Amino acid sequence: MQIDMNNFFEESIKMIVKIRTSEEFIAEKFFDEKIFSFLHLTIGQEAGAVGVMSVLSNNDIAMGNHRSHGHYLAKGGDLPKMIYEVFGDQRGCCGGFGGSMHMLDRSVNFNGSTPILGSIPPLAVGQAFASKENGIKNVTVVFLGDGAAEEGVFMESVNLAASKKCNIIFVIEDNRYSVASSHSDRKSERYSHQKLIEGLGAIYIRENGQNVKKVHDAAILAREYALSGKPVILHLDLLRRHGHSGPMQENDNADYRIEDTLEYRNENDCLLIAKKEAIKSGLSESKIEEWISSAREETLEIVSKVKETIDVRDIS
Amino acid sequence: MSETLVNFVEAINLAHKAGLQDNNKSYIIGLGVNYQNGADGTTKNLSSIYPDKVLDVPVSEAAFTGMCVGMATAGLNPIVHHGRVEFALLAMDQILTQAAKWNYMFGGDYPCKFGARLNIGRQWGNGPQHTSSYNSLFVNTPGLNVLWPSRPSEAYTFTKALHHAPSPTIMMEHRYLFQTKDSFNENNNDPLVIPQVSFYGKSSKTIILTYGDGLVEAIKTKNKINDSDIQIICINAFVRDRELHEDIIKAIESCDNLICLDTSNYQFGLMQGLIGSLAEKINLKEKIKIFSPPFIPCATSPKLVKNYYPFSPDVINYLNEINVTKERASDYLFDDINLPANIDFSENVPSKIIKSTLTE
Ligand SMILES: Cc1ncc(C[n+]2csc(CCOP(=O)(O)OP(=O)(O)O)c2C)c(N)n1
């Protein structure tokens, strides 16, 4: 959802809180309905989605992966429909067919998310190519993790997009892990995203994904390049708060984490950083706290109401 | 020796332990197999004993499966693991076009000792892209042995076989079975001798034909109605050609009712292939009844999947209608439909097992 620069911190902070609050609610209620719709929470790394979407017009297209609640909401996706979908109610954004890993709101051009790693980049290239063919001036943004970016088809998609001059941004959300495998488990010591991407003829931008303002600024640049027919890879460094999947918090320091201890993740939390940046820009702390609590209350009110009406069984 | 009760996951884990110990040319390769509780627990703790044999890999199915095929043509015994059959689809060239044809196209003196473990089928809440049952892709490809363990003891035997596989061998693991229990001996039999077909019960006028996780509902049906009224024929494997053993044909020829219990999409799939193969030899028209999912993917919402998989009450009530039994069964409740199978198979031992041997 495009954010008005005059209210950047207010809007982006509220969106981060909306995503976080709704996911915390899902996590808490996850076992209630025994749906077990395969869940991957984005808590901790919301700033990536919010910062990127903040520069997109409604006309721009976004697509996502297995961890896409944040992408969907930040693009302006309907919150009640997301909750219904995750809990398996047929009023969900995919009619209950998809579940948590399949987010869709075509009214805001959030054109789908799919969990098979590497499946979505070429599909997004297709959507971008179709925009060109249909004479629509927009960009297509596709989100994938650092793990999925290892699939050969991702490189093939970048090459294809570059050769067809598609208006596309591939956002790599790099939370350091594929499940519990770190980069060093999966990559040679000399692995270079930059060399790979630039070698394919695309633009490579890397940014601190925990800082929503920095993501926003990088996304503005990325969108300009993409609109000129140069595909962009926007590589965001993020921190996932929870475990890879399921509703469980990772309270203790899981043994696979290297330096991103719980303490480190808390210190570098994207909401905290956004708050600090907002204060630096002259906004008052009490005002910011007001936004946070109002966004939280508003979200909780919506999701609690939806939850009360959930109807997924006609058997006991 | 383990006569204690173990579940499906533990059975695979035990077999891997034995397999890695028996064959120092064998490997387990796949995403996260080296985690402490890797591959859903099936590779639990193995990497601490065999850090050089149980290997994590980049997220690149085509490449790491291809690497396994390459290793397999160079005298090693790799087992590649894919947590869903959909993930293996990224590597179909390597499995169907390279591994399956390797020895044949190079004239028959160039074996490919490739093993694969593919998780397949239903899992509650996993939705359309994580529950596919692409059995027929593999069965319809010459050059592959395809194994469907339907209980932990078979999962043990098959996993051990993979550690020594002399030719490309794919184990299709129904995730639905992971919590089922069984008791068996960890024996030192020839690991290449495997069950191909299991018969449960003596010959009977009513036969349930099934494979993989279909055995759960077949056993529940058999246990509910008079035991001797039903025989189950469970297909465990196809090795080399796809000929049906004559005992299967004979049994089905002399029965009155053939119930096909298929948890995959039936149309043009494994079960319809089986039926086609039988129909070339015997007349089935008057006696066959198919229980299978509708020809759509599996959704996520409970309301949408309530009637998706075939369940024992449907079979029992059908058998009641055709006067095989006086029993009737009430519909399953939510948990029966949606939670993983929790059956203990140890009370249900096959009355006859037809075996086969994996060869080059
Ligand atoms: C082709 C394929 N292989 C494996 C998986 C299983 N899987 C789901 S998410 C995941 C980790 C992906 O890591 P990354 O792309 O970095 O995204 P993240 O989960 O960290 O957001 C894996 C291995 C899958 N969904 N698809």
Side-chain angles (χ1 to χ4, degrees), chain A residues 66-67 115 117 145-148 151 175 177-179 244, chain B residues 31 61 87:
Chain A
H66 54 287
R67 198 183 299 284
L117 301 177
D146 51 292
E151 297 283 6
N175 58 18
Y177 303 101
S178 167
V179 188
H244 166 69
Chain B
L31 295 175
E61 284 77 4
F87 309 162

Side-chain angles (χ1 to χ4, degrees), chain A residues 225-269:
Chain A
Y225 276 122
L227 277 174
S228 73
K230 293 194 181 100
V232 183
I233 281 64
L234 177 55
H235 185 160
L236 301 177
D237 292 294
L238 298 160
L239 295 167
R240 186 185 72 203
R241 174 67 175 73
H242 280 53
H244 166 69
S245 63
M248 263 70 82
Q249 290 255 11
E250 257 183 11
N251 279 326
D252 301 315
N253 289 317
D255 56 4
Y256 67 88
R257 300 241 184 214
I258 301 171
E259 62 168 13
D260 51 339
T261 57
L262 189 59
E263 196 184 0
Y264 180 90
R265 280 177 282 151
N266 285 339
E267 277 168 8
N268 291 282
D269 179 64

Side-chain angles (χ1 to χ4, degrees), chain A residues 33-38 87-90 95-99 101-102 114-117 147-148 150-151 178-181 185-186 255 311-316, chain B residues 31-32 34-36 56-62 84 86-87 90 124-130 298-304 306 332-335 337-339:
Chain A
E33 307 291 338
K34 293 191 184 165
I35 306 309
F36 311 148
S37 165
F38 209 5
F87 284 99
D89 189 293
Q90 288 174 261
F97 288 94
M101 299 192 291
H102 298 277
T114 60
I116 303 299
L117 301 177
E150 282 159 14
E151 297 283 6
S178 167
V179 188
S181 300
D185 296 328
R186 296 153 26 217
D255 56 4
D311 171 23
V312 288
R313 328 173 154 206
D314 41 17
I315 46 174
S316 52
Chain B
L31 295 175
N34 65 333
Y35 297 172
Q36 207 180 8
D56 196 11
V57 277
V59 185
S60 44
E61 284 77 4
R84 300 284 187 296
E86 287 90 344
F87 309 162
L90 276 70
W124 179 226
N126 274 224
Q129 293 197 333
H130 277 51
C298 182
T300 300
S301 167
K303 278 195 175 170
L304 292 165
K306 191 180 64 164
Y332 273 171
L333 300 177
F334 188 89
D335 286 5
I337 294 179
N338 296 315
L339 301 187

Side-chain angles (χ1 to χ4, degrees), chain B residues 115-306:
Chain B
R117 289 182 46 205
L118 312 187
N119 292 184
I120 190 164
R122 86 178 97 170
Q123 186 173 352
W124 179 226
N126 274 224
Q129 293 197 333
H130 277 51
T131 55
S132 307
S133 291
Y134 299 122
N135 295 294
S136 51
L137 265 180
F138 301 90
V139 198
N140 191 228
T141 300
L144 298 180
N145 306 310
V146 192
L147 322 176
W148 293 269
S150 56
R151 53 190 294 164
S153 56
E154 290 162 6
Y156 178 84
T157 306
F158 288 162
T159 304
K160 242 178 131 180
L162 289 179
H163 280 272
H164 302 267
S167 50
T169 305
I170 317 290
M171 175 158 84
M172 310 297 264
E173 298 164 17
H174 282 97
R175 294 180 74 88
Y176 183 65
L177 296 174
F178 278 9
Q179 292 178 27
T180 62
K181 296 180 195 69
D182 208 350
S183 59
F184 55 89
N185 280 321
E186 281 182 64
N187 53 48
N188 287 321
N189 297 346
D190 181 347
L192 298 183
V193 178
I194 57 163
Q196 191 172 13
V197 188
S198 301
F199 292 75
Y200 294 81
K202 297 212 173 60
S203 67
S204 159
K205 288 293 165 201
T206 300
I207 289 177
I208 299 180
L209 180 64
T210 194
Y211 61 95
D213 65 352
L215 183 64
V216 172
E217 298 304 314
I219 296 263
K220 283 186 183 171
T221 306
K222 185 170 164 58
N223 289 349
K224 170 96 182 174
I225 69 183
N226 188 351
D227 213 29
S228 61
D229 288 343
I230 284 196
Q231 183 180 45
I232 298 169
I233 301 180
C234 187
I235 306 293
N236 302 132
F238 280 111
V239 174
R240 294 177 295 277
D241 64 25
R242 272 47 174 161
E243 281 303 307
L244 292 183
H245 193 277
E246 61 180 343
D247 288 4
I248 304 177
I249 299 167
K250 270 193 213 146
I252 292 177
E253 191 168 24
S254 59
C255 79
D256 293 340
N257 309 300
L258 175 63
I259 312 288
C260 299
L261 223 161
D262 189 2
T263 59
S264 312
N265 296 115
Y266 174 76
Q267 290 79 354
F268 293 87
L270 167 60
M271 183 62 88
Q272 197 169 42
L274 277 170
I275 298 305
S277 177
L278 283 164
E280 288 171 10
K281 300 182 180 77
I282 52 182
N283 187 1
L284 299 171
K285 202 168 159 213
E286 306 300 324
K287 54 178 151 188
I288 190 163
K289 173 78 180 170
I290 312 291
F291 288 89
S292 72
F295 198 56
I296 49 175
C298 182
T300 300
S301 167
K303 278 195 175 170
L304 292 165
V305 297
K306 191 180 64 164

Side-chain angles (χ1 to χ4, degrees), chain A residues 98-316:
Chain A
S100 163
M101 299 192 291
H102 298 277
M103 292 288 109
L104 178 73
D105 191 339
R106 295 177 74 186
S107 70
V108 295
N109 279 321
F110 189 82
N111 283 358
S113 70
T114 60
I116 303 299
L117 301 177
S119 61
I120 202 80
L123 297 170
V125 173
Q127 294 247 344
F129 189 73
S131 286
K132 256 173 59 152
E133 291 294 292
N134 292 330
I136 301 167
K137 190 84 182 147
N138 66 356
V139 297
T140 298
V141 179
V142 57
F143 291 83
L144 64 152
D146 51 292
E150 282 159 14
E151 297 283 6
V153 67
F154 168 61
M155 299 301 165
E156 296 171 28
S157 303
V158 175
N159 181 38
L160 186 58
S163 74
K164 301 286 178 213
K165 299 193 171 37
C166 291
N167 308 123
I168 188 165
I169 305 171
F170 301 87
V171 181
I172 300 179
E173 292 184 298
D174 186 346
N175 58 18
R176 306 181 179 198
Y177 303 101
S178 167
V179 188
S181 300
S182 66
H183 285 291
S184 58
D185 296 328
R186 296 153 26 217
K187 289 180 168 78
S188 86
E189 279 167 25
R190 301 187 55 186
Y191 194 98
S192 162
H193 280 104
Q194 178 159 11
K195 284 186 181 161
L196 275 168
I197 300 303
E198 291 179 351
L200 290 167
I203 307 286
Y204 178 76
I205 303 170
R206 188 162 189 166
E207 190 46 273
N208 172 6
Q210 295 302 101
N211 184 320
V212 71
K213 182 64 172 61
K214 285 190 174 169
V215 176
H216 169 89
D217 294 344
I220 288 184
L221 185 64
R223 189 166 181 276
E224 273 167 25
Y225 276 122
L227 277 174
S228 73
K230 293 194 181 100
V232 183
I233 281 64
L234 177 55
H235 185 160
L236 301 177
D237 292 294
L238 298 160
L239 295 167
R240 186 185 72 203
R241 174 67 175 73
H242 280 53
H244 166 69
S245 63
M248 263 70 82
Q249 290 255 11
E250 257 183 11
N251 279 326
D252 301 315
N253 289 317
D255 56 4
Y256 67 88
R257 300 241 184 214
I258 301 171
E259 62 168 13
D260 51 339
T261 57
L262 189 59
E263 196 184 0
Y264 180 90
R265 280 177 282 151
N266 285 339
E267 277 168 8
N268 291 282
D269 179 64
C270 66
L271 186 57
L272 189 69
I273 292 176
K275 248 167 49 178
K276 282 186 186 159
E277 292 284 316
I279 292 169
K280 237 198 272 171
S281 79
L283 292 157
S284 81
E285 188 166 0
S286 58
K287 192 81 209 151
I288 299 168
E289 289 302 338
E290 249 173 58
W291 297 336
I292 292 178
S293 53
S294 72
R296 186 167 288 141
E297 274 163 34
E298 221 172 89
T299 306
L300 270 179
E301 196 183 321
I302 297 173
V303 295
S304 313
K305 260 197 200 141
V306 171
K307 178 71 171 43
E308 273 168 30
T309 67
I310 276 176
D311 171 23
V312 288
R313 328 173 154 206
D314 41 17
I315 46 174
S316 52

